[in-house]
């Protein structure tokens, strides 16, 4: 019996050891890669990613945005870190509020997302100075992003500090965290040649820095053809499918990664807003995965806003939209969101098949290709593509006919059934409206002038100094003041050889005008000339950032005489900045003037208004259409730069067919480049809120409004024998059917009209199917009622409107001689 017991124990021990050996690898979390994909815990991963920049949204927004990303179909988030955000002052680290990268990564993990962390530390991202802290510019003998001892020391110190912080918080995948890959440097290949041999040495040094970090996950380099085999080289662009073949040839043991699929483009003040059609975005995605890609990132999923002074350029608008699928109000950009979401979900249903092998490729005819994945038993997915940018195609395959619009890709489930086509949008288009809920009307406003060149004691120099060397980029503003003595009265031209920014000119404290080159001014005897240089962000792309300059550079002449060495006083900033007029506790104590008529079109003016909220609303914005240029704060938080520059240029009809060019797809011509400035809900108080505006060039504050962005109109289309889906946002319902037609229709969403032929009764059919529902699906008839043209089912509906917030103006602090009355505007919830 004892022998039997011993044998029993030995068998149990051996069994336990075998089990431990079999499952032991699941205890050791690992990330590697092979020629096909990222490999997590021994399993190839098919990855769909979205980009977000944590400083461009508020912490209260992060959980809902990340949940939307997961719902969209992403399983990984791609994110930069922003060195400027964390060490804006040398040696002083900040990981609070919008700079809390640790919290953001943890929120991503809670949402069920892996993380690709792009450490850089140069990131571009249309971010001020490319995300680099400006103090680097003043390090002795430094040259950025090359084999320069001062740069290498600073970069290594920051990268090491950040990685150690992330390790301390167990954020890398082997530690139980979500970070499965990291990036060193960014798009350096574009500039490497300009740095010569030191550029090549720098790449090798950066690789070694990455290797010795021991983070336990793969590293990537974006657009870096001289990367080594163990560092994944990746592609950025509007399309990257044609890059795959050359990448595979050079890096046969690496997967193909598309780290930035630009689903829109950036915008400057004075430009119309660029957008990229959903059809072309889907085409780019499907061509990528069809031809062997295993990771693709939507840049941007949510762009957010360049709050405060973080926008680069110079001259980028505050809203970093990038035509992302979720806008700054956390609202869906449709049909783009729904169309791409439907595609993502289908792809995820075949994620194992899409990384099990390389695709089988067949050229069916000119410009028609079939890519098939069938390595998994009883599972098959094909991509049928028409890459002709003009002609539609009807393809016979496997005994079936497939209609392929020009420049489109169809997904064939089980390699037979078409379940998606990139050009066939059947989901809802959304139109949002901005409804005014409060006007900043007199007498509920206060204002005061900004005094000239008086923020701090002046710095005196023989010649005008370069602006960043004086301000250290702590402000957009630098005053230059000099004195010139004229003989009697004279009208003279003041000229600047090289002014980098917009200049306000004041003569004896009186505003004389604005220029970037020259201006005529009146002189009489001893004349004090003050010049205000106003930047709009620093460079974010290019080379030799340490040499970058702003302000007045080069010769200054007056009346044809060189006054460059006339001795100049330099005063950085505005008095209101230094004394924090935007802080509610400070604003409450200031002697604001209330005769608002005197403030109109007045440059360098501060404004204040008080607004009471009974509850918070995440869809609020400030309408700045009647203002000029400056900054706006809410409760001491800087919403960012505003600028009423009109969008000049062309806004032609946009076709999704053919290679995308941002200049061919723009909207908003002859309107302000940006009119509405979103207010994050966690910046608002239930109760009193303080709005402060600094106006640089002169505007009309009485035309400034508080508005709400809300879904107003939805539309959908489909062709015969198809279906369309009308879907209101969360918590909203279809109130009315404004238009429905089967046959021919003209116009676009918000402005449809019946064409030459129409099927009777279709509007009632859509009403019966859709009214008072959150969403509905309507099937188009199979009949052709209009010969010789496409027969379409078109529907347009209104969604329900809710008013959750009431607003009230409050009395402003004033002197003993004035009083401000109270005006209330309340909006009640619709019954």
């Amino acid at each position: 019996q004892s022998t039997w017991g011993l044998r029993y124990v030995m068998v149990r021990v051996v069994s336990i050891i075998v089990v431990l050996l079999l499952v032991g690898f699941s205890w050791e979390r690992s990330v590697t890669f092979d020629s096909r994909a990222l490999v997590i815990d021994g399993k190839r991963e098919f990855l769909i990613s979205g980009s977000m920049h944590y400083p461009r949204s508020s912490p209260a927004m992060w959980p809902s945005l990340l949940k939307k990303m997961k719902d969209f179909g992403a399983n990984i988030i791609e994110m930069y870190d922003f060195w400027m955000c964390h060490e804006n002052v040398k040696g002083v680290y900040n990981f609070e509020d919008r700079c809390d990268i640790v919290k953001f990564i943890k929120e991503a993990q809670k949402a069920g997302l892996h993380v690709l962390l792009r450490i850089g530390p140069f990131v571009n991202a249309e971010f001020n100075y490319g995300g680099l802290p400006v103090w680097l510019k003043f390090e002795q003998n430094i040259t950025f992003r090359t084999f320069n001892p001062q740069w290498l020391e600073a970069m290594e110190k920051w990268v090491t500090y950040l990685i150690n912080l992330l390790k301390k918080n167990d954020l890398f995948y082997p530690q139980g965290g979500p970070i499965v890959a990291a990036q060193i440097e960014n798009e350096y290949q574009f500039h490497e040649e300009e740095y010569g041999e030191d550029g090549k040495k720098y790449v090798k040094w950066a690789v070694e820095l990455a290797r010795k970090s021991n983070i336990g996950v793969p590293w990537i380099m974006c657009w870096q053809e001289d990367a080594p085999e163990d560092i994944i080289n990746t592609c950025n662009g509007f399309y990257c499918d044609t890059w795959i073949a050359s990448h595979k040839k050079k890096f046969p043991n690496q997967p193909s990664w598309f780290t930035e699929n630009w689903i829109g483009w950036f915008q400057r003040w004075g430009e119309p807003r660029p957008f990229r059609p959903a059809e072309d975005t889907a085409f780019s995605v499907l061509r990528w995965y069809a031809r062997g890609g295993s990771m693709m990132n939507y840049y941007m999923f949510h762009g957010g806003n360049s709050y405060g002074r973080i926008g680069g350029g110079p001259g980028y608008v505050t809203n970093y939209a990038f035509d992302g699928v979720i806008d700054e109000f956390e609202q869906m950009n449709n049909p783009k969101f729904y169309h791409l979401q439907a595609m993502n979900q289908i792809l995820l249903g075949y994620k194992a098949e899409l990384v099990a092998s390389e695709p089988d490729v067949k050229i069916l005819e000119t410009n028609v290709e079939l890519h098939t994945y069938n390595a998994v038993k009883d599972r098959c997915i094909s991509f049928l593509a028409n890459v002709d940018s003009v002609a539609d195609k009807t393809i016979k395959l496997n005994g079936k006919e497939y209609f392929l619009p020009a420049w489109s890709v169809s997904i064939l489930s089980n390699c037979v059934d078409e379940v998606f086509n990139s050009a066939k949008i059947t989901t809802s288009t959304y139109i949002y409206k901005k409804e005014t809920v409060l006007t900043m009307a007199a007498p509920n406003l206060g204002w005061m002038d900004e005094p000239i060149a008086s923020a701090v004691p002046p710095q005196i120099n023989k010649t005008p100094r370069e602006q960043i060397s004086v301000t250290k980029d702590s402000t957009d503003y630098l005053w230059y003041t000099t004195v010139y003595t004229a003989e009697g009265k004279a009208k003279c031209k003041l000229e600047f050889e090289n002014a980098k920014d917009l200049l306000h000119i004041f003569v004896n404290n009186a505003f004389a005008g604005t220029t970037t080159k020259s201006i005529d001014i009146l002189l009489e005897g001893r004349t004090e000339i003050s010049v205000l240089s106003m930047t709009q962000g620093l460079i974010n792309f290019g080379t030799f950032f340490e040499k970058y300059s702003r302000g007045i550079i080069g010769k200054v002449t007056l009346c044809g005489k060189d006054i460059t060495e006339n001795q100049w006083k330099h005063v950085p900033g505005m008095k209101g900045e230094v004394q924090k007029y935007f802080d509610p506790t400070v604003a409450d104590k200031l002697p604001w003037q209330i005769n608002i008529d005197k403030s109109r079109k007045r440059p360098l003016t501060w404004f204040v208004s008080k607004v009471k909220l009974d509850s918070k609303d995440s869809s609020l914005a400030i309408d700045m259409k009647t203002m000029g240029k400056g900054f706006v704060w809410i409760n001491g938080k800087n919403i960012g730069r505003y600028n009423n520059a009109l969008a000049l240029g062309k806004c032609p009809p946009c076709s999704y067919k053919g290679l995308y060019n941002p200049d061919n797809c723009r909207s908003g011509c002859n309107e302000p480049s940006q009119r509405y400035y979103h207010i994050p809900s966690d910046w608002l108080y239930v109760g009193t809120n303080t709005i402060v505006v600094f106006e640089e060039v002169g505007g009309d504050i009485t035309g400034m409004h508080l508005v709400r962005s809300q879904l107003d109109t939805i539309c959908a289309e489909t062709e015969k024998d198809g279906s369309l889906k009308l879907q209101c946002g969360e918590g909203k319902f279809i109130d009315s059917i404004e238009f429905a037609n089967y046959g021919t229709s003209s116009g676009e969403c918000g402005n449809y009209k019946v064409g030459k032929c129409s099927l009777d009764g279709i509007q009632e059919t859509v009403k019966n199917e859709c009214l008072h529902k959150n969403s509905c699906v309507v099937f188009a008839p199979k009949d052709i009622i209009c010969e010789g043209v496409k027969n379409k089912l078109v529907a347009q509906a209104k969604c329900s409107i809710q008013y959750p917030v009431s607003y009230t103006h409050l009395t402003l602090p004033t002197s003993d001689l004035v009083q401000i009355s109270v005006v209330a505007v309340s909006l009640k919830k619709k019954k």
Side-chain angles (χ1 to χ4, degrees):
Q1 188 172 355
S2 61
T3 302
W4 179 89
L6 181 61
R7 289 176 62 192
Y8 174 79
V9 170
M10 290 179 65
V11 169
R12 290 298 303 272
V13 169
V14 171
S15 300
I16 291 171
I17 291 173
V18 170
V19 170
L20 289 174
L21 288 172
L22 289 173
V23 304
F25 291 105
S26 66
W27 295 357
E28 186 71 31
R29 290 163 60 97
S30 66
V31 188
T32 58
F33 64 85
D34 62 17
S35 63
R36 195 67 194 89
L38 194 71
V39 179
I40 301 179
D41 295 335
K43 180 183 176 183
R44 286 177 176 172
E45 290 290 333
F46 174 82
L47 298 172
I48 299 175
S49 175
S51 279
M52 267 180 63
H53 298 161
Y54 54 93
R56 284 184 162 130
S57 53
S58 68
M61 298 168 68
W62 295 344
S64 60
L65 287 169
L66 292 165
K67 181 181 182 302
K68 287 181 174 71
M69 185 182 291
K70 182 70 173 179
D71 293 342
F72 177 63
N75 51 15
I76 184 170
I77 180 173
E78 188 174 293
M79 57 175 286
Y80 287 121
D81 86 87
F82 294 88
W83 189 1
M84 173 179 282
C85 199
H86 302 296
E87 196 185 1
N88 196 37
V89 177
K90 184 178 181 180
V92 179
Y93 296 103
N94 174 27
F95 294 93
E96 303 295 326
D97 196 40
R98 290 183 295 112
C99 295
D100 193 344
I101 187 173
V102 170
K103 180 177 180 179
F104 184 79
I105 293 172
K106 288 181 177 179
E107 291 291 349
Q109 185 171 27
K110 288 179 186 177
L113 296 165
H114 295 306
V115 172
L116 166 54
L117 179 62
R118 307 175 76 184
I119 291 176
F122 166 78
V123 298
N124 187 349
E126 288 68 54
F127 208 86
N128 195 47
Y129 221 42
L132 301 174
V134 176
W135 58 260
L136 286 167
K137 177 180 171 68
F138 306 104
E139 294 293 285
Q140 191 172 8
N141 299 321
I142 196 168
T143 304
F144 293 8
R145 302 179 70 201
T146 188
F147 200 74
N148 167 271
Q150 289 75 22
W151 168 258
L152 302 185
E153 180 183 356
M155 175 174 165
E156 181 168 10
K157 183 178 178 181
W158 164 245
V159 170
T160 303
Y161 185 96
L162 177 65
I163 287 174
N164 287 341
L165 175 70
L166 301 177
K167 285 181 177 179
K168 182 179 178 181
N169 285 274
D170 297 328
L171 293 178
F172 291 100
Y173 189 82
Q175 300 175 290
I179 301 173
V180 295
Q183 177 179 314
I184 196 75
E185 249 300 332
N186 189 41
E187 296 178 333
Y188 189 70
Q189 178 180 316
F190 295 132
H191 311 298
E192 184 176 338
E193 187 174 328
E194 296 181 58
Y195 292 101
E197 286 301 313
D198 279 350
K200 296 177 182 179
K201 290 166 65 177
Y202 170 59
V203 171
K204 293 178 180 178
W205 176 89
V207 167
E208 289 306 314
L209 176 63
R211 284 171 175 162
K212 72 181 183 181
S213 66
N214 296 318
I215 59 176
V217 301
W219 284 89
I220 71 169
M221 296 185 88
C222 176
W223 277 119
Q224 199 61 53
E225 293 297 325
D226 57 352
E229 188 70 26
D230 61 327
I231 307 289
I232 302 172
N233 181 37
T234 72
C235 183
N236 291 351
F238 296 115
Y239 314 90
C240 276
D241 58 291
T242 57
W243 169 89
I244 293 176
S246 61
H247 174 69
K248 288 291 185 185
K249 185 176 182 180
K250 187 162 189 176
F251 298 98
N253 298 317
Q254 290 186 5
S256 299
W257 279 22
F258 192 173
T259 37
E260 289 185 20
N261 187 345
W262 301 327
I263 68 172
W265 200 238
F266 56 81
Q267 180 188 15
R268 287 186 168 88
W269 304 112
E271 291 181 346
R273 189 168 190 161
F275 65 93
R276 187 180 182 190
E279 299 96 325
D280 183 62
T281 306
F283 175 86
S284 170
V285 173
L286 292 182
R287 288 293 286 165
W288 171 257
Y289 286 126
R291 302 181 77 173
S294 63
M295 182 274 185
M296 185 281 312
N297 173 62
Y298 293 102
Y299 188 98
M300 298 286 296
F301 170 80
H302 165 79
N305 291 296
S306 294
Y307 298 116
R309 302 178 56 255
I310 66 173
Y316 294 139
V317 301
T318 293
N319 179 218
Y320 190 64
F322 235 88
D323 203 32
V325 294
I326 298 293
D327 69 12
E328 69 269 34
F329 297 95
E330 299 187 64
Q331 296 171 329
M332 289 180 286
N333 175 9
N334 276 321
K336 204 167 196 175
F337 181 97
Y338 282 145
H339 188 57
L340 298 177
Q341 181 190 50
M343 177 187 67
N344 294 339
Q345 290 172 344
I346 293 168
L347 292 172
L348 289 173
Y350 284 92
K351 61 183 181 180
E353 292 76 13
L354 289 169
V355 293
S357 65
E358 298 292 342
D360 176 60
V361 184
K362 292 182 180 179
I363 307 300
L364 301 183
E365 60 177 75
T366 302
N367 291 327
V368 179
E369 300 174 6
L370 181 70
H371 292 77
T372 300
Y373 294 88
N374 57 7
V376 177
K377 185 178 180 181
D378 300 326
R379 296 277 291 174
C380 183
I381 180 173
S382 292
F383 298 87
L384 183 59
N386 175 12
V387 298
D388 194 308
S389 62
V390 178
D392 299 338
K393 306 276 187 177
T394 298
I395 303 300
K396 291 184 178 180
L397 182 68
N398 300 326
K400 296 187 69 172
E401 282 192 351
Y402 301 92
F403 174 70
L404 293 175
W407 203 253
S408 76
V409 182
S410 286
I411 301 176
L412 305 185
S413 176
N414 296 320
C415 296
V416 176
D417 300 319
E418 181 185 278
V419 290
F420 183 88
N421 178 274
S422 59
K424 299 175 184 178
I425 296 181
T426 60
T427 56
S428 296
T429 295
Y430 279 13
I431 297 178
Y432 296 95
K433 74 174 183 180
K434 305 297 189 294
E435 181 176 78
T436 299
V437 295
L438 185 67
T439 298
M440 307 298 172
N444 301 291
L445 295 166
W447 67 277
M448 68 172 62
D449 285 325
E450 167 66 32
I452 293 173
S454 62
V456 295
Q459 303 174 34
I460 300 174
N461 197 62
K462 186 176 182 180
T463 60
R465 293 178 59 190
E466 187 276 327
Q467 182 163 340
I468 306 172
S469 68
V470 179
T471 66
K472 304 297 189 287
D473 197 43
S474 62
T475 175
D476 277 9
Y477 310 112
L478 178 62
W479 288 98
Y480 297 85
T481 301
T482 193
V483 174
Y484 182 85
T485 301
E487 296 181 4
K489 291 184 179 181
K491 183 178 181 180
C492 283
K493 188 177 293 294
L494 177 63
E495 297 181 276
F496 302 91
E497 180 182 42
N498 187 6
K500 298 289 188 179
D501 299 286
L502 194 67
L503 304 177
H504 272 344
I505 312 299
F506 293 80
V507 178
N508 292 329
N509 290 341
F511 181 60
T514 303
T515 185
T516 57
K517 187 68 177 177
S518 66
I519 187 171
D520 291 330
I521 62 175
L522 292 174
L523 306 175
E524 185 174 1
R526 184 184 185 278
T527 305
E528 185 174 78
I529 302 167
S530 295
V531 180
L532 176 62
S533 174
M534 300 170 285
T535 64
Q536 291 187 90
L538 304 183
I539 190 173
N540 56 267
F541 182 79
T543 56
F544 302 105
F545 275 28
E546 68 283 350
K547 297 179 181 179
Y548 181 69
S549 59
R550 305 306 301 170
I552 298 175
I553 308 296
K555 185 186 295 185
V556 182
T557 59
L558 179 62
C559 306
K561 298 179 180 179
D562 188 345
I563 62 169
T564 310
E565 297 185 357
N566 204 47
Q567 191 175 83
W568 296 78
K569 295 179 181 178
H570 302 77
V571 176
M574 297 289 124
K575 183 178 180 180
E577 285 183 295
V578 174
Q579 297 190 2
K580 299 185 177 180
Y581 289 1
F582 49 82
D583 185 326
T585 61
V586 175
D588 287 346
K589 299 173 184 176
L590 295 173
W592 300 98
Q593 299 185 54
I594 63 165
N595 186 345
I596 209 68
D597 288 339
K598 291 185 178 181
S599 72
R600 288 189 173 92
K601 306 300 179 183
R602 193 180 186 99
L604 305 188
T605 306
W606 292 87
F607 296 93
V608 68
S609 180
K610 296 278 185 174
V611 177
K612 184 177 180 181
L613 273 63
D614 292 339
S615 61
K616 293 187 179 184
D617 187 341
S618 63
S619 61
L620 292 178
I622 299 179
D623 180 355
M624 305 295 290
K625 184 179 182 181
T626 62
M627 299 302 290
K629 176 177 177 288
F631 285 93
V632 58
W633 291 261
I634 182 81
N635 298 323
K637 299 277 192 178
N638 193 334
I639 292 175
R641 299 181 179 97
Y642 69 87
N643 191 329
N644 202 30
L646 287 181
L648 304 178
K650 297 180 179 180
C651 294
C654 173
S655 172
Y656 73 87
K657 299 175 183 178
L659 295 175
Y660 173 72
N661 182 334
D663 290 334
N664 295 336
C665 296
R666 290 184 181 263
S667 64
C669 282
N670 301 312
E671 299 174 359
S673 291
Q674 183 175 347
R675 175 176 171 179
Y676 303 103
Y677 297 80
H678 177 246
I679 307 172
S681 61
D682 52 325
W683 291 11
L684 298 169
Y685 300 139
V686 174
T688 303
N689 294 264
T690 303
I691 300 173
V692 174
V693 177
F694 177 61
E695 171 59 48
E696 296 175 12
V697 300
D700 183 0
I701 197 70
T702 63
M704 193 173 83
H705 305 302
L706 193 67
V707 300
R708 176 192 293 107
S709 176
Q710 59 190 14
L711 179 60
D712 180 57
T713 301
I714 61 174
C715 305
E717 300 181 5
T718 190
E719 297 182 7
K720 74 174 186 72
D721 205 20
S723 64
L724 61 76
K725 186 175 185 179
L726 291 173
Q727 184 171 357
C728 291
E730 185 177 351
K732 294 184 180 293
F733 302 90
I734 297 171
D735 264 351
S736 62
I737 302 299
E738 293 190 316
F739 181 90
N741 182 49
Y742 178 70
T744 58
S745 302
S746 62
E748 58 186 12
C749 186
N751 189 32
Y752 282 121
K753 293 180 181 179
V754 175
K756 293 183 179 180
C757 59
S758 177
L759 181 65
D760 291 339
I762 193 67
Q763 183 132 348
E764 286 303 313
T765 300
V766 176
K767 283 182 179 179
N768 292 336
E769 187 63 41
C770 298
L771 276 181
H772 312 305
K773 296 179 180 179
N774 172 262
S775 65
C776 63
V777 176
V778 182
F779 292 89
K782 297 181 179 180
D783 303 325
I784 296 177
I785 64 169
C786 307
E787 296 292 340
V789 294
K790 290 182 180 179
N791 287 234
K792 285 188 174 183
L793 173 63
V794 177
Q796 177 176 311
K798 287 279 188 181
C799 290
S800 62
I801 301 171
Q802 299 178 24
Y803 299 102
V805 182
S806 66
Y807 306 84
T808 308
H809 270 308
L810 296 183
T811 304
L812 294 173
T814 64
S815 68
D816 294 336
L817 300 177
V818 294
Q819 281 204 323
I820 299 178
S821 61
V822 177
V823 174
V825 179
S826 296
L827 298 173
K828 302 301 182 184
K829 198 171 184 178
K830 188 175 180 182
K831 294 182 180 179

